[in-house]
Amino acid sequence: MALLEVQHLKKYFATQKAVDDISLTIEKGSIFGLLGPNGAGKTTLIRMITGIFYPDEGTIRLDGKPFDPVNDVRDIGYMPEERGLYKKMKIGEQTLYLAQLKGLSKSEATRKIKEWFIKFEMESWWNKKVEDLSKGMQQKLQFVTTVLHEPKLIILDEPFSGLDPVNSNLIKDEIFNLSQKGATIIFSTHRMEQVEEICDHIVLVNKGKKILDGTVKAVKQDHKENLYSVGIDPMISLPEQQRPFDVVHSEAHRMIVRIHEGNKPNDVLQYLLQNGAAVNAFNEILPSLNDIFIKLVEGTPVTRQFQNINA
Amino acid sequence: MRKISLIIKREYLTRVRKRTFIIGTLLFPLLYMALIFGTGYIAEKSRQNLNVAVVDSSGYFTESMLAKENMIDKSSTLSLVPKAGPGFNFDSAGYDAYLIIPPLNWAKGDSSLQLKASKSYGPGSTSIVEAKLNRIWDRIKNDSLDMDEAKQVVFSSSRLNLHFTNTTDPHADAKTANGIGYACGFLIYFIILIYGSQVMMGVMEEKTNRIAEIIVSSVKPFQMMLGKIIGIAMVALTQFLLWIVFVFVIYNVTKASGGNMSTTNNLVGSVQAIFTSVNMPVVLFMFGFYFLGGFFFYSAIYGAIGSAINEDVREAQSLSFPVTMLVIISIVLMTSAIQDPTGPVAVWASIIPFSSPIVMMARIPYGVPGTVPYWQLGLSMGLLIAGFIFTTWFAGKIYRTGILMYGKKPSWKEMLRWAFRRN
C-alpha cells in the first residue's frame, strides 16, 4: 500500500517552473531515493510534501487521506539540506523544544530523547550547548531531532554530508532500522553510491520534471548497454569475421565487449570457444546509477552544477 | 495555539535568562539613581567658601551690616576693606576675591557689580555671595526709605505668580505633564528601536543558523514570527515592570529613611507631585497600550526585514533605515507636539499610526478629555490596532518567503512583490 501519493504536482515561481507536473508513489516501509542535480526541483517538491509550500496544482495524499499540512506534521520528520540548530541553546532543552513543536507532550518527549541519547551515546550532552559540538556531532543530534517523534514519513536531504565513515554507518544502520520498523524514508541526495546501497526505489528529476522512475534493479536493466567483461588467459587474437560483439576496451587478460543487437551472451561464448579462447571469467556489466544519472542529465545547462557542494 | 505558546516561552526564557538582560535591568535604575544623587553630591562638594574683600565707594555698606550677615550665613565671609592703592594685593592679604562697589546712583539703577579673582569660581560659590549682597542691599534700600517692619512686609509680598489649571482635568499640571509626556515618548522610542532590532536580529539568527526550515516544517511561518514578536514584547514588559518595582521600592525606602540630603527630599517631593498632579491610572494604562501597539506595529516590519537579509549586518542597516527614520521623525514630531499639545501637528501626528505611539503618549498626560478629546483618542487607538494588524499580515507574507531564501539581498520592491503574491 502507498504511504504517499503525489499526483500532477506543480509549483511555478516567478522565474522558473520549479516543479512541473510530477507524480510519484511511495510504498509504505520503503526507502525511496529522490535524485536530481542542484536546482532540479527536489527541495521544492519536498517542501510541498512537508507542508511548507502549497502546490499551485495537483494533490498529495498521505496514508490514503488528502494531506493536511497543519495536522500531518506530526507524521513527518524532515531534515532539510540547509539545516541547523540554535547555537546558544542547551542541547537537552533544544531537543525537547523541537519535539514539543512536533506535538509531543513534555513527558513523552523527555522519555524518547533519553532513549535516543543513550542509543547514540549522547547522554553527557544534555546541558552542553550546540556551539560546543563538532559538525559531525551536530549532524547526529540533527538526525535524532528529525526521527524522535516516530514519524511515518522521514525525509532526509543529504543526511551523510559532514559525517565521518563511523557515524555515517551509525546513521545508515539506523535508517535501515527505522525502515524495518515500518517508517517510510525519502532520501534525497547526489551521492549515487549511497543510493545504490540504501534505496529500493528511485525517481530522478531534472528541471522540474520526472525523467526516471523505478526500482534500482529495473532502472539498471533499462539502461544497460549490453556490456560484458570477458577474462581470457592467455589472450589470443580473434578473427573479425562473424564476431557478434565490438571490443570496447582490452587489457592483458581481460576485455570489455558490447554485444551486437540481436545477439545473446551465449553467442559470444560460442564464438570465443570456437576460436579456441580460454575463457576464465564472463560477467555482465550493469551501469552504475552514477553513469545513468550523468547520461540522462548531461547536455542540460545545469549539468555542470552536479557536485556535492553543501559540505 | 499550543505551538505559539511554546515559541513565546522559548523566546522569552532564552532572553530573560541571559546575563545581559539581568545586568541591564539592574544597572539601568542604579545608573539613573547615581546620576540624580551624584550630580547633587558633586554640586555640594564643588562649592567653595569665599573670603571676599569689599571695597565700598558708595558709602552705604558698613562694617556692622557685613558682620551681621556673616553671622547669619557662615559659608562665605565679606569684609570691608578701605580704599587701597593700586599696588594692593588681595591674594597675599588672604582674600579669594574682591569686589568694588561704585558710587551709587539711584536714578540710574545700575545693579551690576564685578566680582574679581585670580581664579575661576563656579556659580555655586558666587551665588552665596550674591545672595548675601542682595540682603544687605535690601536693608540699605529699606533704611533709605525709612520703612518700618510692617511696610517692609507689604513691599516684599507684592509679587504675582501665574499658575495654570486645566478646568476639564484638574489633575493635569502643565509642567509635570510636560515631563511625563517627554519621559513616556522617549521610553516608547527606545523600546521600539532596541526591542525592534532584537526582533530583527532574532529572525536573522534563525535564518543564518539554518534552523528556520526545521521550525517551519513544524509550525506555520506566521506562527513562528508572531511567537517571536510576542515573546520579545513580554521581555520588554518584564523589564518595565521590574523597573517600576525598583522605583517604588527606592521611593519608599528614601521616604522612610527621611534622608537629610536636600536632593533626596526634592526627589521624594517631585515623585509625590507627579503621582498627585496627573491622572496616573489613565497615563499608565495608555502607556501600556501604546507601548504594545507601537512595538507590534514596528517589530513586525523589523521581523520581515530580518527574514529578508543574510549574515551581513550592513544589509540590515540599509533595509531598516527607512523604518528607523519613521521612528526618529516620530520623536521629532513629539518634541513639537509637547510644546503645543492641541495644535494641528500634535493632533494629526497622534492619530496616524506610524507616529501615534510616541506622539499620543506625549499628549495624554495633559489630560483626557481636556487636551485629548475622546474621539481623537478612540480614532488613534483604533487606527493603531488596524495598523499593527496590517503590518503583521504584510510582514508575515514577506517573512514566509524570505526566511527560506538565501543569496542576494532583496530590494524593498522585491519584498513588496513577495507580500502580494498569491501563495
Side-chain angles (χ1 to χ4, degrees), chain B residues 50-55 76-78 96-101 112-123 125-130 133:
Chain B
L50 299 184
N51 189 9
V52 180
V54 179
V55 181
S76 66
T77 322
L78 303 183
D96 299 312
Y98 70 96
L99 120 104
I100 296 169
I101 296 165
S112 177
L113 300 179
Q114 293 286 332
L115 183 69
K116 297 185 177 175
S118 56
K119 285 198 293 180
S120 291
Y121 296 101
S125 313
T126 55
S127 64
I128 299 164
V129 177
E130 189 178 31
L133 281 171

Side-chain angles (χ1 to χ4, degrees), chain A residues 103-235:
Chain A
L104 259 59
S105 73
K106 195 173 181 179
S107 56
E108 196 185 357
T110 314
R111 187 174 54 76
K112 285 188 173 154
I113 293 168
K114 285 190 172 147
E115 276 171 29
W116 275 97
F117 275 26
I118 290 168
K119 187 187 247 172
F120 277 8
E121 295 166 358
M122 292 161 34
E123 300 101 304
S124 62
W125 294 12
W126 193 277
N127 278 318
K128 289 267 187 315
K129 286 179 180 169
V130 172
E131 60 187 356
D132 299 331
L133 300 180
S134 71
K135 195 167 179 236
M137 289 158 106
Q138 288 185 26
Q139 296 282 77
K140 255 165 95 173
L141 179 61
Q142 198 99 51
F143 182 79
V144 171
T145 62
T146 308
V147 300
L148 189 81
H149 58 290
E150 290 171 5
K152 288 182 199 162
L153 179 63
I154 299 168
I155 302 172
L156 305 170
D157 201 344
E158 294 292 355
F160 302 117
S161 70
L163 282 181
D164 62 51
V166 176
N167 281 317
S168 245
N169 276 332
L170 190 75
I171 302 278
K172 208 186 294 168
D173 289 346
E174 209 42 62
I175 291 174
F176 283 127
N177 209 347
L178 287 164
S179 160
Q180 228 123 66
K181 283 185 191 158
T184 308
I185 292 153
I186 298 179
F187 184 53
S188 166
T189 187
H190 312 124
R191 307 262 295 270
M192 294 303 143
E193 74 280 3
Q194 288 169 353
V195 177
E196 291 195 38
E197 207 181 328
I198 297 173
C199 297
D200 311 318
H201 196 113
I202 59 164
V203 155
L204 175 61
V205 292
N206 190 27
K207 295 176 138 184
K209 289 192 183 292
K210 185 173 82 173
I211 56 173
L212 190 66
D213 187 347
T215 62
V216 173
K217 218 185 222 169
V219 166
K220 284 188 163 194
Q221 286 296 330
D222 287 350
H223 288 85
K224 69 179 179 188
E225 295 179 68
N226 292 325
L227 290 176
Y228 286 80
S229 163
V230 187
I232 300 169
D233 195 16
M235 183 61 83

Side-chain angles (χ1 to χ4, degrees), chain A residues 11 13 43 47 50-56 69-70 73 78 80 82-89 93-94 97-98 100-106 142, chain B residues 2-4 6-11 14 17 205-206 208-211 213-221 224 228 400 404-406 417 421-423:
Chain A
K11 181 80 185 173
F13 292 128
T43 304
R47 282 180 180 171
T50 50
I52 294 172
F53 286 165
Y54 290 109
D56 291 346
V70 175
V73 292
Y78 173 38
E82 296 282 8
R83 52 182 159 259
L85 295 162
Y86 290 109
K87 291 200 163 44
K88 303 264 178 207
M89 205 173 168
E93 240 171 65
Q94 175 150 219
Y97 172 64
L98 292 173
Q100 282 180 288
L101 277 188
K102 278 287 179 192
L104 259 59
S105 73
K106 195 173 181 179
Q142 198 99 51
Chain B
R2 187 176 156 263
K3 288 182 178 179
I4 287 199
L6 276 171
I7 296 172
I8 293 172
K9 200 173 119 197
R10 193 201 85 87
E11 295 293 340
T14 48
R17 273 196 244 144
E205 187 205 347
E206 274 169 355
T208 54
N209 268 355
R210 305 290 201 258
I211 196 168
E213 193 164 358
I214 292 177
I215 306 277
V216 294
S217 71
S218 301
V219 300
K220 299 258 131 236
M224 185 179 169
K228 180 171 285 289
R400 204 185 49 193
L404 297 173
M405 192 83 90
Y406 298 101
R417 213 166 41 225
R421 210 176 52 199
R422 188 163 45 92
N423 253 318

Side-chain angles (χ1 to χ4, degrees), chain B residues 25-55:
Chain B
T25 308
L26 288 177
L27 229 51
F28 183 82
L30 285 181
L31 281 176
Y32 191 72
M33 293 308 285
L35 198 72
I36 290 175
F37 286 117
T39 47
Y41 179 76
I42 289 165
E44 192 95 15
K45 270 283 162 192
S46 63
R47 203 173 65 201
Q48 290 186 41
N49 295 338
L50 299 184
N51 189 9
V52 180
V54 179
V55 181

Side-chain angles (χ1 to χ4, degrees), chain A residues 283-302:
Chain A
N283 58 291
E284 188 177 18
I285 299 176
L286 285 175
S288 70
L289 283 180
N290 210 27
D291 298 336
I292 298 171
F293 188 115
I294 290 171
K295 197 178 88 187
L296 288 174
V297 172
E298 209 163 34
T300 63
V302 286

Side-chain angles (χ1 to χ4, degrees), chain A residues 7-12 19-23 208-210:
Chain A
Q7 294 289 334
H8 305 294
L9 217 54
K10 278 186 193 172
K11 181 80 185 173
Y12 291 179
V19 169
D20 192 10
D21 198 6
I22 288 183
S23 302
K209 289 192 183 292
K210 185 173 82 173

